[in-house]
Each structure stands twice: as structure tokens, then as C-alpha cells.
Amino acid sequence: MPSSQTPSAEAPLPSERRARLIARVRETGSARVSDLSRVLGVTPVTVRRDLALLVADGTLEKVHGGARIPARSAGLGAYTGASTGIAQPDPASAGRVDQLTIGMVVPSIEYYWPEVIRGARDAARGEVRLILRGASYEVDQVRRQVAALVGEDGGPGVDGLLVAPPVDGPEAAELGEWLAGLSVPVVLMERRLATGPYREPLESVATDHALGSGVATRHMAERGHRRVGLVTSRTSPTSAAVRRGFLAVADELGLDVVVDLETVPMFDADWADEAASVLDRCAETGATALIVHSDREAISLVEQAQERGVRVPADLAVIAYDDEVAGLADPPLTAVRPPKAAIGAGALELLLRRLAARADAMASPGSDGGDAVTGADRPVHRIELSPRLIVRASSAPRG
């Protein structure tokens, strides 16, 4: 917010002030605008203008809320094709009382999401404090965890949120409206939601799962398979996109989709019966290749197929979706690998940019704080990352 502090009557000349500013940053390793404003005796707006000039000529490097002596930046170029510019802070800055605090709410901390969490953690380094909460795929659980983080129940009062909420059904829509109305910015991970009367999207970083299953389908066709199938989990938010991509490419290539089934997750008591039904269906239709979401179900299906005398991949090729543990199967499973670490890192970067835009808007002359959450005129970003197909032994060429 604009400071009520007025410049000293003996304020230094701009050149002297900037020299003192540089000296302060060199002394502390990095410094925030509020600290520099206090030390120099000028308004935050003046400090920001000086920083902009010093960053432009390469003297300093901008970080969220302040500046530091130029250091090598880390990015997501391997996944997005461009550097993100997340500055790596000095280790001594870890644990600062003025560092940002970001809440992170994920459905699970045991499968898929640990890699996403690691990506956000590695991108944060010591510059940002992450508070992790595991919820579930239930709307009430997600809402309770988010409410605790934003301070409704005496929680830490985070500066922003990374959330993977449910997205299907009226309760999920209500949750999306609630998230959009929070006093802190929110970025969704591996989810997309639109809110309000005009269905405006929330910011998000997600994998193009339809592309991933489409690539897997093309791989099956290239290996000579014409009678193909798909097995997805009826409880997974990813299944709809996986199915959409599979059916689109199968139709484009003229493949015969002879199996298209949803099953319970492997940890469900009915899994064994449903897995047997999948294999029965494959035998009845002559399916020679399956895409299975996710790894656990794919590995279990392979084991049950082998017990029936069905050879993988000679009789039935199998491609898993997620690539958490697919490479440890026997045979190792070809799998689609979402860029999970890049999802976490990209979501954090997007949130930090939103927070920076919000801070700039609040510090601008004449600002009334009305753009505090939206970040002035910064557009809503919806980032989509591409998964990779990791080819292993379970999808050898037919025949």
C-alpha cells in the first residue's frame, strides 16, 4: 500500500540515493522495498522507480517485493520453452519474517502429487515459505483446509494459494465461486474452473491430458494395433480428458475402439472383479492394446493377464498413464508422463507474478486497492503443459 511516510527535507540527490540503495542491497544480500524505503527515507514509489532503473541497466536483479545483486535464475525452460526468472535467494534469507507464505492444498501426498509438491518446493527455495495440507477429492475437505490457511480458523493467513480442487458437479462449482472470492490470489494445479455469470476462468497450470492419451494412441497405431481399448478410473478428475484424447485420435486414425471401460480404483474392494471383466472384454473383442489410467491399475491388469496366460506385449500391449511406478513392472510399462514437477513450479511462479502485480497496483499513485487481488490489468493466465510418452517393453510392435 502507498506509504504515509514523507521524504526527508534533506533527501539525497537521485544519484546519491541510488548509490545508497545499491550499498544496502550489497550489505544485506537482498532487500525489500519496505526496508529500502525506511532506510533511505523516501516513499516506496520512489524506491520502485529507482529499482526499475537499476534493474534495467543490470545493476540489480528484481525479486518479488524487492531486489538483490544479480544471481543466476532458475526456470522451467525444459517444459515451457522460456525462462521463468524465479530468482534463487541467498541461503541466509531462508526463514525471514517478511518472506511470503503460500498455502498448498493437494488431494493426496502419496501418489502423483509428491512430485508436484517437490516442483513447487524447489522453485520456492528460501524465498517463499510453503505450507502443505493434504485434503481429498471431497469439496468439504478442500474448503476446510483452504479456510484454515487463509485464517478463518486462526490459521497462518497465507499470501496466496495453490489448490487442486474437485471440478465436477454443483458443489465443485460453488467451491470455485468461493475460491474466486477469497481475499488472496489462487492458482489451480492440474485443474480448470470457471466462475461468475460469464464463466471467467481462474488462473491455472495443468497438463494437456487429452494430448497425452492421443500421443499414446498414435503410438499404438504405429506399432500395428487396430483393435484398441481404454480403461480409466471413474473417480479420477483426469479420466475425462484422457478419454477425450484417446477417442479423438482413434477416430482420426480409423482404429476400432473395442474396449472403453471405467473401473473403480485398485484399492477398492470391487477392483478384482472389474479387472477380470476388463480382461474378459479384451478376449471377447480381440483387443490387442490398452491404455490404462493409472499405473497401479495397469500393473494389476498385467499381472492378472499373465495369470491367464496372456502375454504382454505379444498378445496384449499395455500403456499406463501417470508413470509413477510403471517402469518397475514386469515387463516395464510404456507410460505417459505428465510434467508433474513443472506443474508445481509453474503454479508457484504464476502466483508470485500475480502477487507482484498486486503489490505494484497497490503502490501506484492514486491506487485505492481495488485491484489488490486481480493485480491491476494483468490478464488471467491458463498455462497448459505437454506430457511425454516414455516407451518401454510393454508396447512392442505387433507380430
Side-chain angles (χ1 to χ4, degrees):
M1 297 179 58
S3 172
S4 60
Q5 177 184 9
T6 56
S8 166
E10 300 181 358
L13 296 173
S15 58
E16 179 186 350
R17 183 179 67 241
R18 289 169 193 153
R20 290 174 56 192
L21 187 155
I22 295 170
R24 176 67 178 178
V25 175
R26 289 188 182 278
E27 176 186 348
T28 60
S30 65
R32 300 180 68 84
V33 170
S34 57
D35 172 62
L36 293 170
S37 173
R38 177 181 56 80
V39 170
L40 299 176
V42 296
T43 66
V45 171
T46 299
V47 172
R48 291 183 186 280
R49 290 172 180 163
D50 286 348
L51 288 178
L53 291 172
L54 294 170
V55 168
D57 67 16
T59 304
L60 296 178
E61 179 179 67
K62 185 177 180 180
V63 297
H64 181 75
R68 59 170 289 159
I69 299 301
R72 191 171 61 137
S73 293
L76 305 177
Y79 296 103
T80 65
S83 173
T84 63
I86 301 177
Q88 303 306 301
D90 189 288
S93 68
R96 287 199 319 259
V97 296
D98 60 345
Q99 70 183 163
L100 288 170
T101 300
I102 303 301
M104 189 174 191
V105 180
V106 296
S108 169
I109 57 175
E110 295 178 349
Y111 185 86
Y112 194 95
W113 294 97
E115 189 77 0
V116 179
I117 296 166
R118 184 186 65 79
R121 181 200 64 196
D122 290 350
R125 304 295 173 117
E127 188 71 16
V128 175
R129 180 191 176 200
L130 285 177
I131 299 179
L132 175 66
R133 284 181 176 259
S136 68
Y137 292 98
E138 300 296 326
V139 169
D140 290 346
Q141 283 288 325
V142 174
R143 185 164 185 151
R144 183 174 65 83
Q145 298 287 25
V146 169
L149 286 168
V150 297
E152 290 187 9
D153 298 319
V158 296
D159 298 292
L161 288 162
L162 305 176
V163 187
V167 294
D168 296 321
E171 290 186 349
E174 292 177 6
L175 176 65
E177 299 285 349
W178 180 71
L179 289 172
L182 291 175
S183 60
V184 298
V186 178
V187 174
L188 306 185
M189 302 174 293
E190 289 288 34
R191 303 287 189 268
R192 298 177 183 86
L193 276 173
T195 64
Y198 306 116
R199 311 312 298 157
E200 296 175 277
L202 278 71
E203 290 199 299
S204 61
V205 179
T207 301
D208 188 345
H209 293 296
L211 173 67
S213 60
V215 169
T217 307
R218 295 182 190 280
H219 176 69
M220 292 193 299
E222 185 269 333
R223 293 297 171 102
H225 297 282
R226 307 301 303 176
R227 299 178 69 78
V228 300
L230 175 70
V231 178
T232 56
S233 170
R234 65 175 60 101
T235 62
S236 172
T238 303
S239 293
V242 170
R243 185 172 185 270
R244 184 171 66 251
F246 166 76
L247 292 177
V249 173
D251 181 66
E252 174 192 335
L253 300 180
L255 305 181
D256 293 327
V257 178
V258 295
V259 176
D260 183 3
L261 298 172
E262 284 188 329
T263 68
V264 296
M266 192 188 74
F267 49 78
D268 191 283
D270 294 329
W271 164 250
D273 292 338
E274 296 203 7
S277 296
V278 170
L279 295 174
D280 289 343
R281 181 64 177 165
C282 289
E284 293 165 4
T285 61
T288 63
L290 284 179
I291 297 174
V292 183
H293 176 54
S294 59
D295 287 14
R296 297 174 297 192
E297 288 74 16
I299 292 173
S300 180
L301 276 172
V302 168
E303 292 171 351
Q304 293 193 41
Q306 292 169 335
E307 291 172 0
R308 293 185 176 205
V310 177
R311 299 169 298 167
V312 177
D315 301 322
L316 181 66
V318 176
I319 300 177
Y321 199 101
D322 275 356
D323 201 30
E324 284 285 306
V325 291
L328 302 178
D330 183 23
L333 301 184
T334 293
V336 177
R337 178 185 295 171
K340 288 164 280 199
I343 293 293
L348 179 65
E349 165 68 6
L350 193 58
L351 185 59
L352 293 180
R353 289 184 182 275
R354 174 64 58 187
L355 286 166
R358 182 179 71 164
D360 288 343
M362 294 181 70
S364 297
S367 171
D368 61 2
D371 291 324
V373 173
T374 60
D377 294 326
R378 178 177 169 82
V380 171
H381 285 55
R382 291 169 291 165
I383 298 174
E384 197 166 64
L385 303 182
S386 298
R388 295 172 54 204
L389 180 70
I390 309 299
V391 178
R392 302 188 179 100
S394 68
S395 62
R398 178 150 175 76

